[in-house]
């Protein structure tokens, strides 16, 4: 009976959370993020304002309901990679699958891209995964979680999608090129070869 009650409670919480996220996306898309208040979102989902804040800490979070799932997927990409696959390639392939196929006509993409507050929030939320990703990389490689190799790779990997979105070419190709730069270094790029002196330490 306890398990049944607990399961029912969790399903109710999930439905409430989804109703809030759906109402927020609809209202924000129709009227603009800055023109809708959280009280209006709560009323549209038929819940109290206090209930809304139990599920979402702020207005921006209503748009990014899958943040925990995104972080879990990043960790899984490293932890569950194919036997013998380098962590760098596993991260690259995950980024290509999940971060280069965003449709520019998707309502969520349009909403975030057209709202400076949401763009900034999205960047901050995405960067929050750095510590968890670095820990997963450390576990996979045997290095310490604060080793520059894993913290640097986590930082660069999370920055790659933003860099790719600034280009006009093929996003998947651009992601491969960025990770190739990480893997092989500046000295192998055409520009460095034209310079005739690949970058060296010291």
């Amino acid at each position: 009976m306890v398990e049944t009650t607990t399961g029912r409670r969790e399903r109710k919480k999930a439905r409430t959370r989804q109703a809030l996220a759906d109402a927020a996306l609809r209202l924000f898309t129709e009227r603009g993020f800055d023109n809708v208040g959280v009280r209006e979102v709560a009323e549209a989902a038929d819940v109290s304002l206090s209930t809304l804040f139990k599920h979402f800490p702020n207005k921006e979070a209503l748009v990014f309901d899958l943040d925990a799932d995104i972080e879990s997927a990043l960790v899984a990409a490293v932890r569950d990679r194919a036997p013998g696959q380098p962590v760098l390639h596993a991260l690259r392939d995950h980024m290509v699958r999940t971060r280069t196929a965003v449709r520019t006509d998707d309502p969520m993409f349009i909403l975030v891209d057209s709202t400076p507050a949401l763009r900034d929030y999205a960047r901050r939320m995405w960067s929050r995964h750095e510590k968890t990703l670095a820990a997963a990389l450390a576990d996979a490689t045997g290095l310490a979680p604060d080793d520059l190799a894993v913290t640097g790779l986590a930082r660069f990997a999370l920055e790659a999608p933003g860099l790719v979105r600034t280009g006009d070419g093929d996003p998947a190709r651009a992601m491969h090129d960025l990770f190739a730069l990480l893997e092989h270094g500046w000295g192998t790029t055409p520009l460095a070869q034209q310079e005739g002196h690949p970058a060296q330490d010291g």
Side-chain angles (χ1 to χ4, degrees):
M1 175 65 73
V2 174
E3 288 186 4
T4 300
T5 303
T6 301
R8 188 181 301 118
R9 187 180 301 118
E10 291 303 313
R11 288 194 296 273
K12 183 179 179 181
K13 286 170 61 178
R15 286 195 298 270
T16 299
R17 185 179 179 87
Q18 189 61 55
L20 284 163
D22 289 346
L25 180 59
R26 176 174 57 79
L27 290 173
F28 294 159
T29 300
E30 290 174 354
R31 293 166 46 196
F33 178 79
D34 295 328
N35 298 320
V36 177
V38 289
R39 187 178 297 278
E40 294 175 90
V41 175
E43 290 174 354
D46 197 24
V47 302
S48 67
L49 190 60
S50 61
T51 296
L52 182 150
F53 282 120
K54 286 179 183 177
H55 291 277
F56 299 95
N58 52 52
K59 182 179 173 182
E60 290 84 359
L62 284 159
V63 181
F64 300 95
D65 188 33
L66 299 178
D67 189 60
D69 294 340
I70 290 171
E71 184 165 281
S72 296
L74 277 168
V75 172
V78 174
R79 183 192 60 216
D80 303 333
R81 68 191 187 284
Q85 184 184 33
V87 292
L88 187 67
H89 292 181
L91 270 178
R92 176 200 64 200
D93 294 347
H94 176 73
M95 294 297 183
V96 168
R97 285 195 306 272
T98 63
R99 311 303 294 185
T100 64
V102 177
R103 289 176 48 193
T104 56
D105 61 345
D106 179 85
M108 178 70 78
F109 177 87
I110 295 171
L111 175 64
V112 174
D113 193 55
S114 62
T115 310
L118 289 178
R119 289 202 306 270
D120 292 343
Y121 187 82
R123 183 178 178 82
R124 292 197 304 273
M125 291 296 286
W126 183 237
S127 298
R128 286 174 63 234
H129 303 313
E130 184 180 314
K131 186 174 182 179
T132 300
L133 179 56
L137 290 168
D139 186 60
T141 60
L143 295 171
D146 61 350
D147 190 291
L148 189 59
V150 293
T151 58
L153 178 53
R155 172 75 59 84
F156 294 145
L158 292 176
E159 288 290 340
L163 291 170
V164 166
R165 282 194 292 272
T166 64
D168 296 326
D170 176 9
R173 181 70 263 163
M175 190 71 75
H176 275 270
D177 290 344
L178 279 177
F179 273 84
L181 180 61
L182 279 177
E183 183 172 9
H184 302 297
W186 175 256
T188 62
T189 65
L191 181 57
Q193 292 168 5
Q194 289 172 17
E195 291 173 344
H197 51 83
Q200 297 177 353
D201 264 339

